[in-house]
Structure formats: structure tokens, C-alpha cells
Amino acid sequence: DKVFISVTSVALWYTGTLPGMLVGLWIARDVGIVGSVYWLVRKETVRKRDKNNDGEDDNNNSFALMDPQNTPLKVQASFMSKVNTTLQIGLIALG
């Protein structure tokens, strides 16, 4: 839903329907959320890999695998997050 909201809001900003500041805030918030989750998953993945490492030097620590089924980080959306997403989609629908 983040990609849908971002692409649609940028298109509506481009046509002059939504103000640029609002679209910028939405995109900055989404980039912050996705970046934070990526950082936390990478940190936990490296930590697990280091615990399981048997002394071998592994060069695969530079990326995190973003697999929702196997991630060590379990995140559930809060009620406010669901309300926010609903309001964003509603505003986009009005545009």
C-alpha cells in the first residue's frame, strides 16, 4: 500500500490536486518507516548470522533479506497506522 499511496499522491501533486508539502510528508514518513524496518532486520540478521557463524569470515553481511516469512522482526500495524492509511486512501480517492 505504501507504493500505491506514494505513486498516486505524486501523480495527484503533479496535476495540482494535492499540495506538495502533504505529499512530501507522506513520502518522507514512508521512506522513514521502510528504512527503519530494513535497518532493524539487517541488524537482527547479522546478529543471528554472527551467533551461528563457526569462525568463517562471511562477506554477505552487507545486505538484509527482506523476506516477511523468515524475518526475525515481527511487526504488526497499530490501529492509528490503519486509520492513517485509510484516511490517505480516502483523500486520494477524493482527488
Side-chain angles (χ1 to χ4, degrees):
D1 68 334
K2 294 196 179 313
V3 173
F4 166 74
I5 289 173
S6 296
V7 169
T8 309
S9 62
V10 166
L12 289 173
W13 164 75
Y14 186 74
T15 62
T17 306
L18 286 178
M21 286 297 289
L22 181 63
V23 174
L25 284 173
W26 285 355
I27 291 175
R29 177 183 172 270
D30 289 345
V31 166
I33 290 171
V34 171
S36 298
V37 168
Y38 179 82
W39 179 78
L40 286 171
V41 168
R42 182 179 184 277
K43 187 172 100 173
E44 290 299 316
T45 303
V46 169
R47 185 179 300 159
K48 274 188 166 183
R49 194 176 303 148
D50 287 345
K51 282 184 181 179
N52 295 334
N53 196 357
D54 52 353
E56 296 178 18
D57 189 20
D58 218 358
N59 289 334
N60 293 331
N61 289 342
S62 61
F63 69 94
L65 192 57
M66 297 301 287
D67 182 4
Q69 297 297 322
N70 296 319
T71 182
L73 180 66
K74 301 295 180 193
V75 178
Q76 292 186 357
S78 67
F79 177 74
M80 281 305 294
S81 175
K82 292 178 182 182
V83 168
N84 184 35
T85 300
T86 303
L87 292 174
Q88 283 179 322
I89 291 172
L91 184 60
I92 287 171
L94 290 174

